[in-house]
Amino acid sequence: MSITILDGGLATCIEKLFQRHLGNGSLWSAKILAQEPSVITAVHEAFLAAGASIITTATYQASVDGFEKFLGLDRKSAIDVIRRSRAAGVKNGRAQRNDSDVPGDIAAHARRGLTKRLLFHYLLRLYRCANMSITILDGGLATCIEKLFQRHLGNGSLWSAKILAQEPSVITAVHEAFLAAGASIITTATYQASVDGFEKFLGLDRKSAIDVIRRSVLLAKTAKGNQGKTAEGSVGPYGACLADGSEYTGSYLNDATITNEFLKAWHRPRIEALLSEGVDVLAVETLPGAREAEAIADLLKEFPGSKAWYSFSCRSGTQTSYGEDIGESVSRVVRVGGPQVFAVGVNCCSPKNVTESILRIRVCVGPEIPVIVYPNSGEEFVPSTKTFCGSAFDIVELSEQWIAAGATLVGGCCRVYPDDIRRLSQKVKML
């Protein structure tokens, strides 16, 4: 007999994987179809990756009357939403996989991004989590300094880099706190450290500035001792050292003077200092756009044998902070960096968007490259006041979804503390 595998519950999958609460709505998944079509695509991808041969369009509760009544759409717009859901080969509302997809269709787009290799990989991730090797990262170093040591860094232009220069023992203590909580990877306190910044804000000469960056590696190595843990060298984007929040917009990438050669020259001293002291991997993080990632990946060719992970700040589950597609962004850096790319992923973003980002990244880069995720607590950073507002998410509870979606390196960023990492480590041991 020939057995055909169907998909599962699209709406309830949206609720579980993407934290959308549909139960009280009059349109159910049809509202997501109208307002967040990328979520529908991601759910189709998840079911196809799990082995389904048939996926159903998100039109179960979609109707012209419903869209007119509950969303205020006119008749033509309502019909366009329903058409958007379709795929080539639709029969009675069901889309089967084939090679004659119509460009722009949501279900068809989901099919085009998948390969047999990815299907197998995703099955392993989804159904054999207990056999996966998950690495726990640390949390937010600077916000931990603020909470545990009552240092107020928000209004400073160097953030934790000032503490690195003036109170190195505090940096060591934070590293030790995260390691004791269960982290296997700690990152140096160099996210906002630069030769320019130390010269401008602390009055250091170039040699002294580079010595401070080198010291960060010694502090991390001292903290980890012989525990078998690793120390990664934090490389924040150029925007972070502008201290204006532009790492969350990428606005500086619009400046014609910020060329790839400029970015390479600016990043070179810090990267050279970190590698000279023997960091295990470079953590190139909170990147708003792909162009800066490509520039750094190209720069690393000057340092054969070095490796780096590249993680992007994101405005949603599908877009980087600069507005580029997250899947295409990681694909671009992989093409440039080749075997020097250790991992790709997202950080310092809202936890609610992480699952969708992982699914998109996995579709684009396949199973060979590890996916790293370390979002912030979910509270929103306000650049003008350099404070956080809003409510936090429980990243520990969400982490199981991230691991099932394919993340193998998991931790936290701003306002994720040692207690959170301890709970995360315990959670992973139970999977």
Side-chain angles (χ1 to χ4, degrees):
M1 283 180 13
S2 175
I3 306 299
T4 302
I5 304 299
L6 313 181
D7 58 4
L10 187 142
T12 50
C13 187
I14 290 171
E15 291 185 313
K16 181 175 181 180
L17 295 185
F18 297 97
Q19 294 81 56
R20 306 299 195 273
H21 303 293
L22 310 179
N24 295 325
S26 299
L27 292 173
W28 218 25
S29 59
K31 181 178 180 181
I32 303 298
L33 170 65
Q35 298 179 341
E36 298 183 85
S38 62
V39 171
I40 302 297
T41 300
V43 174
H44 286 323
E45 289 170 348
F47 280 121
L48 287 166
S53 294
I54 293 178
I55 53 176
T56 53
T57 58
T59 48
Y60 171 77
Q61 211 154 333
S63 67
V64 172
D65 291 348
F67 285 138
E68 289 177 339
K69 180 177 180 180
F70 298 111
L71 293 185
L73 301 184
D74 59 31
R75 182 177 180 83
K76 179 181 181 301
S77 297
I79 291 174
D80 285 344
V81 171
I82 295 170
R83 283 176 172 159
R84 181 195 300 165
S85 71
R86 74 181 179 83
V90 170
K91 296 180 180 179
N92 298 323
R94 290 190 172 266
Q96 299 188 25
R97 283 189 284 181
N98 55 52
D99 296 323
S100 57
D101 298 332
V102 177
D105 290 335
I106 293 174
H109 172 75
R111 294 200 303 277
R112 280 198 300 274
L114 295 167
T115 64
K116 290 182 180 178
R117 181 176 62 184
L118 179 59
L119 294 178
F120 178 67
H121 165 79
Y122 197 94
L123 282 169
L124 287 178
R125 291 292 186 265
L126 196 58
Y127 297 119
R128 302 180 66 182
C129 287
N131 294 326
M132 291 170 58
S133 176
I134 305 300
T135 301
I136 303 299
L137 315 178
D138 57 6
L141 188 144
T143 49
C144 187
I145 291 172
E146 291 184 314
K147 181 176 181 178
L148 299 186
F149 296 93
Q150 291 76 55
R151 303 298 194 274
H152 302 292
L153 310 178
N155 294 323
S157 299
L158 292 172
W159 217 25
S160 59
K162 181 178 181 180
I163 303 298
L164 170 65
Q166 298 181 341
E167 297 183 84
S169 62
V170 171
I171 302 297
T172 302
V174 173
H175 286 324
E176 290 172 344
F178 280 120
L179 289 166
S184 294
I185 292 178
I186 53 175
T187 52
T188 59
T190 49
Y191 171 78
Q192 211 154 331
S194 69
V195 173
D196 291 348
F198 285 137
E199 289 176 340
K200 180 178 180 180
F201 299 111
L202 294 184
L204 302 184
D205 59 31
R206 183 178 179 84
K207 180 181 181 302
S208 298
I210 290 175
D211 286 344
V212 172
I213 295 171
R214 285 177 171 158
R215 180 195 301 163
S216 71
V217 182
L218 175 61
L219 297 176
K221 286 185 173 182
T222 299
K224 72 185 182 72
N226 297 318
Q227 300 179 55
K229 309 295 180 73
T230 59
E232 322 295 50
S234 177
V235 177
Y238 176 68
C241 294
L242 296 176
D244 60 0
S246 57
E247 67 263 52
Y248 302 110
T249 65
S251 57
Y252 59 93
L253 295 172
N254 295 327
D255 188 334
T257 66
I258 309 299
T259 64
N260 281 20
E261 288 306 312
F262 172 90
L263 290 169
K264 288 165 65 175
W266 189 87
H267 280 289
R268 187 177 286 110
R270 176 173 51 180
I271 287 176
E272 189 172 32
L274 291 169
L275 291 175
S276 69
E277 291 301 313
V279 292
D280 296 291
V281 171
L282 293 172
V284 184
E285 53 189 350
T286 326
L287 296 160
R291 184 163 69 84
E292 187 166 13
E294 289 176 313
I296 296 172
D298 191 43
L299 170 61
L300 287 195
K301 294 175 183 178
E302 299 176 14
F303 305 93
S306 65
K307 287 185 175 291
W309 81 52
Y310 297 84
S311 58
F312 291 84
S313 63
C314 293
R315 63 172 65 166
S316 69
T318 62
Q319 289 184 314
T320 66
S321 292
Y322 192 52
E324 298 167 320
D325 181 84
I326 182 60
E328 176 58 26
S329 295
V330 297
S331 296
R332 285 170 62 179
V333 73
V334 167
R335 283 195 292 269
V336 175
Q340 287 183 286
V341 177
F342 174 77
V344 291
V346 296
N347 80 288
C348 211
C349 54
S350 175
K352 70 180 181 181
N353 296 325
V354 169
T355 302
E356 186 174 10
S357 294
I358 296 170
L359 291 171
R360 283 184 168 269
I361 291 169
R362 273 287 171 226
V363 165
C364 290
V365 303
E368 287 85 1
I369 299 174
V371 172
I372 183 168
V373 296
Y374 50 116
N376 57 37
S377 64
E379 296 153 292
E380 185 178 353
F381 180 68
V382 183
S384 60
T385 60
K386 297 185 179 178
T387 57
F388 291 85
C389 66
S391 301
F393 289 78
D394 188 341
I395 70 164
V396 177
E397 290 303 312
L398 293 174
S399 65
E400 188 171 358
Q401 296 175 18
W402 305 339
I403 292 167
T408 54
L409 298 102
V410 182
C413 201
C414 297
R415 298 174 78 84
V416 175
Y417 303 111
D419 284 347
D420 301 309
I421 296 302
R422 181 175 293 103
R423 291 175 54 235
L424 176 62
S425 178
Q426 293 168 347
K427 175 81 170 181
V428 168
K429 289 177 182 177
M430 296 170 60
L431 291 178

